[in-house]
Amino acid sequence: MSELKSDVLLSVQNLQVWFALRRFGFGIAGYVHAVDGVSFQLHEGEAVAIVGESGSGKSTLMRAILGLHRPRAGHIIFEGRDIPRLKPADLRWYRTRVGYVQQDPYGALPPFMTVRQILEEPLIIAHTGNSHQRIERVRRALEEVKLTPIEDFLNKFPHQLSGGQQQRVVIARATILNPRLLIADEPVSMLDASVRVELLFLLRELQRNHRLSILYITHDLSTVRYFSERIFVMYAGKIVEKAPADELIQNPRHPYTWALLAAIPEPDPRNARRFREVPSGEPPSLVTPPPGCRFHPRCPKAIRGLCEVQEPPELRVGPDHEVACWLYQ
Ligand code: SF4
């Protein structure tokens, strides 16, 4: 295993998460290759967006990092410890170091608990402070997510809050134990457009104030440029491009990234013309993924005799910019 740089918080190394397809009475019929050889590093205090269509494997990757899926192979090293190989007692430690914000805030909040009870619960489970100290921490958490005046929210139930307010409670709960890593899975996709930007700015503020690292999972490339330092593009279980956010938007290299960018409504017609050859079609089956480059059946630039046969390696095309595509060999 390679030695980690001192500011690396999370190192995912050649991760594979496959799911068995069982046929009743006939054993295993095949495997869904949901995540297939993913590697990356996340630094302390860094926000990274993982972007891809539904079915690209990004949510499975996130769930594996949370310890909810057992990988078939590879490593998830967090603060020097390999998470899939932790004992149950150590998993409890990990759960205090990693917060999770899910897509549907209403589904994430227990309906019969007040905001105060919801936020106090993780502190009680982690044996943090006495009752007075816990309520002080709950108040600070509400202030941090800007649910003020605090007294207006402490005794409310989730159904008495708007969707944006519910998601702020979810964020407060996810950060109340001062985690080092926050995993946010499409955190604004179910909210009105008017509150999306506010919530992304709130996450950004928490990241800066607490030197929090964030993995932001989304299908929407339009929101990530202003939110993340780097963007990783996922397709059919693999990361196909990694770059600093501005570089990826200004100078995308992978044909699939072109397709994602071309799908963003573009007010400037000069930019709309940037992508002349936009790939079409659907993502492949992850049970029988195409050989070679998994994007080759949709790729307008596919090199016959190469792309459908050999998987492209990750190639460096600029400072901190890597792409898995034979075009740049
Ligand atoms: Fe297209 Fe070939 Fe590049 Fe894959 S490796 S994206 S098929 S050009």
Side-chain angles (χ1 to χ4, degrees):
M1 194 182 306
S2 58
E3 201 175 310
L4 303 186
K5 271 176 30 188
S6 59
D7 72 335
V8 172
L9 179 73
L10 174 76
S11 175
V12 174
Q13 301 170 1
N14 206 16
L15 192 73
Q16 282 186 333
V17 185
W18 291 10
F19 300 111
L21 285 177
R22 294 180 193 281
R23 221 182 267 152
F24 185 68
F26 293 96
I28 292 172
Y31 290 92
V32 179
H33 302 61
V35 173
D36 215 1
V38 163
S39 299
F40 67 86
Q41 293 187 331
L42 179 71
H43 299 265
E44 295 259 8
E46 183 186 33
V48 164
I50 300 182
V51 184
E53 291 163 286
S54 120
S56 60
K58 56 191 192 307
S59 290
T60 304
L61 171 63
M62 172 213 68
R63 290 177 66 79
I65 294 170
L66 283 167
L68 302 174
H69 290 320
R70 193 160 182 80
R72 177 178 183 270
H75 301 278
I76 300 167
I77 311 290
F78 177 86
E79 294 187 339
R81 298 161 88 171
D82 198 359
I83 299 311
R85 288 154 192 88
L86 284 183
K87 297 191 181 106
D90 293 330
L91 262 179
R92 282 200 286 279
W93 158 82
Y94 182 56
R95 298 255 150 82
T96 65
R97 308 292 284 160
V98 179
Y100 175 40
V101 177
Q102 47 271 73
Q103 186 177 20
D104 171 13
Y106 190 64
L109 296 172
F112 302 115
M113 288 171 78
T114 62
V115 168
R116 174 187 168 156
Q117 290 168 331
I118 290 168
L119 296 184
E120 202 178 354
E121 189 181 43
L123 299 170
I124 293 171
I125 293 171
H127 306 293
T128 304
N130 57 31
S131 158
H132 174 72
Q133 289 163 330
R134 286 198 300 269
I135 189 63
E136 280 309 304
R137 181 67 191 98
V138 167
R139 286 172 170 279
R140 267 208 323 281
L142 285 174
E143 249 168 39
E144 282 178 344
V145 298
K146 308 199 179 348
L147 285 178
T148 53
I150 293 164
E151 302 302 333
D152 287 359
F153 293 95
L154 272 176
N155 295 314
K156 287 234 164 88
F157 291 93
H159 72 270
Q160 295 173 305
L161 305 174
S162 69
Q165 290 169 341
Q166 288 167 1
Q167 196 60 306
R168 285 172 194 267
V169 174
V170 172
I171 293 169
R173 183 178 63 178
T175 52
I176 200 157
L177 291 174
N178 299 319
R180 301 311 311 138
L181 169 63
L182 189 71
I183 297 182
D185 185 9
E186 307 265 14
V188 295
S189 63
M190 292 183 74
L191 303 178
D192 291 344
S194 57
V195 293
R196 283 183 194 171
V197 176
E198 280 176 26
L199 275 172
L200 287 176
F201 276 118
L202 172 67
L203 285 172
R204 194 72 166 152
E205 196 178 307
L206 290 170
Q207 179 216 357
R208 290 194 172 129
N209 291 347
H210 297 280
R211 199 165 154 71
L212 188 62
S213 304
I214 299 185
L215 272 182
Y216 173 51
I217 317 281
T218 181
H219 66 280
D220 180 7
L221 200 44
S222 66
T223 56
V224 298
R225 179 179 191 178
Y226 306 102
F227 177 75
S228 48
E229 276 98 39
R230 286 191 294 158
I231 300 174
F232 301 162
V233 177
M234 250 189 117
Y235 183 77
K238 292 180 177 290
I239 292 180
V240 296
E241 187 160 9
K242 293 180 199 150
D246 279 342
E247 163 74 4
L248 189 115
I249 304 289
Q250 297 296 335
N251 194 16
R253 298 301 190 94
H254 198 282
Y256 177 59
T257 312
W258 304 345
L260 289 179
L261 284 164
I264 299 175
E266 180 53 79
D268 183 340
R270 285 166 305 177
N271 286 339
R273 283 199 296 272
R274 274 207 299 163
F275 306 105
R276 294 214 170 84
E277 293 172 282
V278 175
S280 57
E282 298 294 319
S285 157
L286 292 180
V287 181
T288 50
C293 172
R294 290 188 178 178
F295 193 59
H296 84 258
R298 296 172 71 184
C299 183
K301 294 281 194 184
I303 303 164
R304 202 176 290 175
L306 177 62
C307 295
E308 75 275 27
V309 181
Q310 281 192 51
E311 187 176 340
E314 267 192 7
L315 300 164
R316 186 167 290 274
V317 290
D320 219 11
H321 191 164
E322 289 168 26
V323 61
C325 176
W326 286 116
L327 291 175
Y328 307 99
Q329 192 190 25

